[in-house]
Amino acid sequence: MMKMKKVISTISTTSRIKTIEYAIRDVVAIAKKLEQKGKTITYLSIGDPPKYDFDTPQHVKDALVRAVNEGHNLYEDSLGVPELREAIAERAKKYKIPITKEDILITTGVSEGIYFILAALIEKGSEFLIPGPSYPPWLSYTKFFDGDPIEYKLDEEDNWQPDIDNLRQNITERTRGILILSPNNPVGVLYSEKHLKNIVDLAGEYQLPIITDEIYDQFVYEKKFVSIASLSKDVPVIGLNGFSKAYLMTGWRLGYLYYRDPEHYLDDIKEDIKRMARIRLCAPGPQQIAAIAALRGPQDHIPKMIAKLRQRRDYTCKRLNELDQIECKVPEGAFYAFPKINMGTRWKDDKEFIIELLKTKQVLFVYGSGFGAKYGAGHFRVVYLAPLPVLEEAFDKVEDFLRK
Ligand SMILES: Cc1ncc(COP(=O)(O)O)c(C=O)c1O
């Protein structure tokens, strides 16, 4: 057998994989090093409700245990368990999205849905219109498939509503789709119905599909969530949603895609994504059975969770807006705030600010440019899932840090 001679230091990797970045977890690596040195870190950086005082509803946990004990431990249909797909189609009626189980595909989290959609739409030279700022995998996976993520402006002065003129200006013959992320991670905006209708008109004019990531649809405070798929008429829409946040199942890895496409513009994409789904066999089985119970069982944990989060949001914005160097718009949905920092000459950029704050005060947020350099720079993202006393202590530390 030939023995490998050590002439290179490491095996080289592809330029494709080097495009993958995820600021949300990258900063955690720095915090872990500090923990190894004995520091205690307050994490206000990851949108994982079960990490804080929110727990998966008991009837959903029981359904999972039952599913395992009753033998649902095998590969399921690649498209997903039919009864779950039916339950999702029923739920969609609540938002006036007319779809059937044939329009639904179960995925291993919304994350896998993002991967599937971009694999089908993006190749070298493609452009994909993404709100700036936006959830990082939409940017990273577009690059991974050799495309260019093009950020359209969410206007901070307009409480982060999308700037429709800017969106229009960014459409070219290479554009492959428009992403809607509402309620948005990281800025928390809920796109108004007027803006959604404008986007439908624009997509219709340029014959572009709309992709809508609706994972925070139940996380709204004053206003109601409206799905663009209920307004889209003949414009094709691909929606993504999942169980991670609303049903507190982040670790269970379960989500879904749906297609709202009365004119059949998406038939090819739908078939190609089905083949992608077959190659990875199926989404987690027992979780799919439990998800049926999640959708059809009691929903009372949701208003309780929203009431707690609303208090935490209000407290977060109040504390941040009391600081001279910080300005924070009040988010309408999700559980993130995205304040702007006036850094003066003290810090080079938002990343340096966040790392220095972590090292001196052991509080971790994510730097804004991790959500898209163009519109995220000069900001940071706060996850306000933590209980009030934790938030209070963290903001006392931020205040102290800024004063020095
Ligand atoms: C906007 C958005 N989409 C998708 C995801 C990932 O969802 P999942 O846990 O279903 O993969 C997240 C997670 O934070 C998110 O914020």
Side-chain angles (χ1 to χ4, degrees):
M1 203 172 79
M2 203 171 87
K3 198 166 178 292
M4 247 168 100
K5 217 170 20 175
K6 184 91 183 164
V7 286
I8 44 173
S9 54
T10 57
I11 304 288
S12 65
T13 53
T14 61
S15 52
R16 163 166 291 139
I17 201 153
K18 297 220 183 330
T19 61
I20 298 292
E21 279 174 77
Y22 193 46
I24 301 168
R25 287 193 176 235
D26 293 349
V27 285
V28 171
I30 308 172
K32 292 283 169 210
K33 282 196 188 135
L34 291 172
E35 275 179 347
Q36 280 161 14
K37 290 184 188 155
K39 304 270 188 203
T40 305
I41 311 292
T42 305
Y43 288 92
L44 298 179
S45 55
I46 294 193
D48 190 354
K51 244 198 168 87
Y52 303 90
D53 56 339
F54 301 97
D55 197 10
T56 320
Q58 191 57 46
H59 68 279
V60 182
K61 289 186 196 169
D62 292 343
L64 179 68
V65 173
R66 240 184 354 260
V68 171
N69 286 331
E70 286 174 2
H72 291 279
N73 301 308
L74 31 77
Y75 292 134
E76 293 290 354
D77 190 312
S78 295
L79 298 179
V81 168
E83 196 186 341
L84 174 60
R85 292 163 60 214
E86 269 161 24
I88 292 167
E90 268 163 40
R91 178 182 182 272
K93 289 197 187 111
K94 177 176 149 193
Y95 294 127
K96 302 191 177 65
I97 308 171
I99 48 172
T100 69
K101 96 172 196 305
E102 305 311 321
D103 302 310
I104 293 161
L105 170 81
I106 309 297
T107 54
T108 306
V110 170
S111 306
E112 188 182 52
I114 298 175
Y115 184 84
F116 282 0
I117 292 172
L118 294 175
L121 283 178
I122 303 299
E123 61 191 347
K124 196 165 179 54
S126 306
E127 292 177 352
F128 188 55
L129 286 168
I130 290 179
S134 179
Y135 179 57
W138 284 108
L139 293 150
S140 266
Y141 278 138
T142 302
K143 291 188 205 155
F144 185 79
F145 291 114
D146 296 327
D148 295 314
I150 306 293
E151 292 180 67
Y152 68 86
K153 181 179 179 182
L154 299 184
D155 186 359
E156 189 167 8
E157 295 314 309
D158 190 17
N159 229 343
W160 294 109
Q161 288 291 336
D163 178 332
I164 303 295
D165 290 335
N166 181 269
L167 177 57
R168 179 186 285 279
Q169 283 155 17
N170 277 303
I171 296 174
T172 71
E173 67 278 10
R174 301 200 292 151
T175 307
R176 299 285 288 142
I178 302 174
L179 175 70
I180 310 293
L181 179 37
S182 169
N184 173 283
N185 174 5
V187 304
V189 61
L190 182 67
Y191 286 25
S192 78
E193 199 163 325
K194 180 175 137 245
H195 286 89
L196 291 175
K197 284 183 176 156
N198 286 335
I199 295 173
V200 168
D201 290 346
L202 208 54
E205 188 182 331
Y206 289 92
Q207 301 201 319
L208 293 170
I210 293 172
I211 322 304
T212 174
D213 181 342
E214 302 181 338
I215 193 165
Y216 298 106
D217 63 352
Q218 314 240 36
F219 293 83
V220 286
Y221 302 103
E222 289 79 14
K223 294 183 190 154
K224 269 201 164 146
F225 171 78
V226 176
S227 171
I228 197 160
S230 68
L231 306 170
S232 54
K233 298 180 198 102
D234 58 343
V235 172
V237 173
I238 310 177
L240 303 92
N241 207 329
F243 296 87
S244 287
K245 315 280 176 175
Y247 295 96
L248 301 146
M249 289 160 54
T250 45
W252 296 20
R253 313 307 305 124
L254 203 66
Y256 58 90
L257 294 182
Y258 71 83
Y259 304 92
R260 161 80 185 124
D261 180 33
E263 300 295 325
H264 297 275
Y265 293 114
L266 300 175
D267 282 359
D268 274 0
I269 293 177
K270 226 169 149 175
E271 281 312 306
D272 291 343
I273 291 184
K274 273 186 194 167
R275 279 188 294 105
M276 283 287 284
R278 294 203 281 269
I279 198 178
R280 66 51 155 134
L281 307 179
C282 66
Q287 284 88 326
Q288 294 191 55
I289 307 296
I292 300 169
L295 290 179
R296 295 196 167 145
Q299 306 289 309
D300 49 314
H301 71 283
I302 297 175
K304 285 185 197 147
M305 179 162 69
I306 297 305
K308 273 202 223 175
L309 286 175
R310 191 173 169 164
Q311 257 193 332
R312 294 172 192 187
R313 174 200 67 169
D314 292 345
Y315 180 75
T316 296
C317 295
K318 176 179 156 294
R319 287 297 307 265
L320 288 168
N321 281 322
E322 278 165 8
L323 302 169
D324 286 345
Q325 299 97 319
I326 289 187
E327 195 193 319
C328 182
K329 300 283 180 204
V330 178
E332 299 168 310
F335 35 69
Y336 309 103
F338 202 63
K340 180 157 74 182
I341 341 149
N342 177 355
M343 283 179 291
T345 50
R346 190 166 155 196
W347 300 283
K348 182 170 91 234
D349 54 24
D350 47 291
K351 188 170 181 179
E352 191 176 274
F353 167 78
I354 286 306
I355 293 173
E356 215 184 291
L357 175 64
L358 171 67
K359 288 185 175 161
T360 45
K361 294 288 174 189
Q362 288 80 51
V363 180
L364 182 61
F365 302 110
V366 185
Y367 48 91
S369 50
F371 299 87
K374 201 164 176 186
Y375 300 106
H379 295 75
F380 60 102
R381 189 188 75 169
V382 178
V383 173
Y384 55 76
L385 285 167
L388 287 175
V390 177
L391 292 175
E392 184 178 3
E393 199 183 324
F395 293 127
D396 285 349
K397 287 182 178 172
V398 173
E399 194 176 324
D400 199 42
F401 176 70
L402 287 172
R403 217 181 284 122
K404 289 202 176 118

